[in-house]
Amino acid sequence: MTSGCMTPVITRFESVPSTNVTAREMAGCGAAEGTVVIAREQTRGKGRGERLWHSPPGGIYLSALLYPADVKRTTDLSLLAGVALAQSVKELLPKSVEVSVKWPNDCLLNWKKVGGILCESLGEDVLGLWVVGIGLNVNLGQSELEAFQANPFKATSFLTELGGEAFDLNAAESMLISKLFSLYQTYREQGSEPIRYLWEKNCRMIGKKVSIAETGWRREDGRNRDVGVATGTVLGIDENGAIVLANAKGERRSYYSGEITCYWP
Ligand code: BT5
């Protein structure tokens, strides 16, 4: 049992290539757990693999250094950050909007991508040192997101969905950090079980039919590659953080990496 909630120590930048990269460099110089790097914009924000995260001013771009002593799965902190995002968006916006986590690392607002998560391990073989990166589209205009409208879940921002005046970026940022650290405290004290429960509670795809483009590690080039598309009903998340689908015959299968590409409401 760990006692006392960790206090985030924030370092702000006007512009960096990627807050995940800056946080990693700070960790290399001995930065303590709880360090949070925030930038007003990123010039080369990172998504998964080779992908980029478009990061103009108006969004939240933050990376937290978290060193959980006994993390067992690489997905734990990604699910945790997803819950922090979904809870924050729900609290910040009117009840009329629909908010859902999307496995493995997205947050949807009215079924469009409003936030993404990139958790990276700091050590080659050590599971306990992580950079948890979160991007949230708050005051981004529609023109900033045009390039992503062909994506299966498109892209959106608070401003695009609700219009009107710009949202208070500082309030959104404080909310997100407070949710992240409070969930992290729960995780340190009680493990991943309550996080999985909250993730499922915040997932509006449970019981619905989806397609997953599954990826798998290929020995030939040491990379993750598409290995096929599976369709089924979402049952939840298993103890390894994998998403569990039931196929048309009712057979259950866990999927460890990939992306949900289609959803039937
Ligand atoms: C993600 O990757 O969704 C992870 C995004 C993590 C960004 C944060 S910002 C702070 C921290 N520092 C970093 O450098 N990164 C983290 P992925 O699931 O691979 O999705 C990436 C894809 O989403 C791109 O290929 C685009 O199609 C799309 N995309 C890019 N920018 C977007 C945006 N601002 N809003 C919605 N979709 C976007």
Side-chain angles (χ1 to χ4, degrees), residues 16-22 37-39 42 44-56 59-64 102 104-107 112-120 131-137 140 144-145 147-157 258-259:
V16 292
S18 154
T19 53
N20 267 31
V21 172
T22 306
V37 174
I38 299 180
Q42 299 182 118
R44 208 175 159 74
K46 298 201 311 177
R48 290 180 296 160
E50 310 285 303
R51 300 185 203 170
L52 295 175
W53 185 253
H54 184 49
S55 315
I60 293 174
Y61 312 107
L62 70 83
S63 298
K102 171 177 169 265
N105 65 323
D106 294 342
C107 179
K112 287 162 255 174
K113 182 159 170 167
V114 72
I117 294 149
L118 181 67
C119 290
E120 298 181 293
V131 181
V132 178
I134 305 180
L136 178 62
N137 300 332
L140 268 63
E144 292 284 5
L145 301 168
F148 314 116
Q149 299 314 317
N151 288 358
F153 285 84
K154 300 195 164 74
T156 198
S157 66
E259 177 145 5

Side-chain angles (χ1 to χ4, degrees), residues 143-188:
S143 58
E144 292 284 5
L145 301 168
E146 218 50 68
F148 314 116
Q149 299 314 317
N151 288 358
F153 285 84
K154 300 195 164 74
T156 198
S157 66
F158 287 13
L159 196 66
T160 306
E161 288 308 302
L162 292 153
E165 290 179 17
F167 285 79
D168 183 344
L169 212 51
N170 293 330
E173 183 193 285
S174 306
M175 173 76 74
L176 188 55
I177 293 172
S178 134
K179 296 283 182 203
L180 181 69
F181 277 74
S182 146
L183 287 161
Y184 184 56
Q185 183 67 13
T186 304
Y187 176 69
R188 290 203 302 169

Side-chain angles (χ1 to χ4, degrees), residues 23-251:
R24 180 184 286 271
E25 286 165 1
M26 287 170 70
C29 297
E33 179 177 42
T35 298
V36 178
V37 174
I38 299 180
R40 212 172 74 85
E41 67 165 10
Q42 299 182 118
T43 52
R44 208 175 159 74
K46 298 201 311 177
R48 290 180 296 160
E50 310 285 303
R51 300 185 203 170
L52 295 175
W53 185 253
H54 184 49
S55 315
I60 293 174
Y61 312 107
L62 70 83
S63 298
L65 292 177
L66 299 178
Y67 305 156
D70 55 357
V71 65
K72 295 197 178 56
R73 289 154 295 266
T74 56
T75 47
D76 283 358
L77 294 178
S78 195
L79 295 178
L80 188 155
V83 175
L85 259 178
Q87 287 182 339
S88 302
V89 177
K90 275 186 189 168
E91 276 198 38
L92 290 161
L93 299 186
K95 292 219 176 329
S96 54
V97 299
E98 291 197 73
V99 180
S100 179
V101 287
K102 171 177 169 265
W103 182 85
N105 65 323
D106 294 342
C107 179
L108 303 178
L109 168 58
N110 290 339
W111 301 102
K112 287 162 255 174
K113 182 159 170 167
V114 72
I117 294 149
L118 181 67
C119 290
E120 298 181 293
S121 172
L122 283 176
E124 290 279 295
D125 306 312
V126 203
L127 263 186
L129 306 174
W130 292 88
V131 181
V132 178
I134 305 180
L136 178 62
N137 300 332
V138 179
N139 293 325
L140 268 63
Q142 187 60 27
S143 58
E144 292 284 5
L145 301 168
E146 218 50 68
F148 314 116
Q149 299 314 317
N151 288 358
F153 285 84
K154 300 195 164 74
T156 198
S157 66
F158 287 13
L159 196 66
T160 306
E161 288 308 302
L162 292 153
E165 290 179 17
F167 285 79
D168 183 344
L169 212 51
N170 293 330
E173 183 193 285
S174 306
M175 173 76 74
L176 188 55
I177 293 172
S178 134
K179 296 283 182 203
L180 181 69
F181 277 74
S182 146
L183 287 161
Y184 184 56
Q185 183 67 13
T186 304
Y187 176 69
R188 290 203 302 169
E189 289 174 359
Q190 299 171 46
S192 58
E193 196 58 39
I195 304 301
R196 280 199 292 131
Y197 167 79
L198 288 170
W199 195 93
E200 289 182 350
K201 219 174 128 200
N202 281 283
C203 179
R204 302 193 62 144
M205 292 185 179
I206 307 265
K208 308 283 182 187
K209 195 171 139 192
V210 300
S211 282
I212 291 185
E214 196 187 0
T215 51
W217 189 77
R218 291 279 169 87
R219 185 186 291 275
E220 300 89 70
D221 56 6
R223 282 167 175 252
N224 262 346
R225 294 266 179 235
D226 290 346
V227 291
V229 177
T231 298
T233 304
V234 180
L235 299 180
I237 296 287
D238 73 11
E239 59 285 355
N240 298 310
I243 191 164
V244 188
L245 299 192
N247 68 15
K249 293 183 198 154
E251 298 159 340

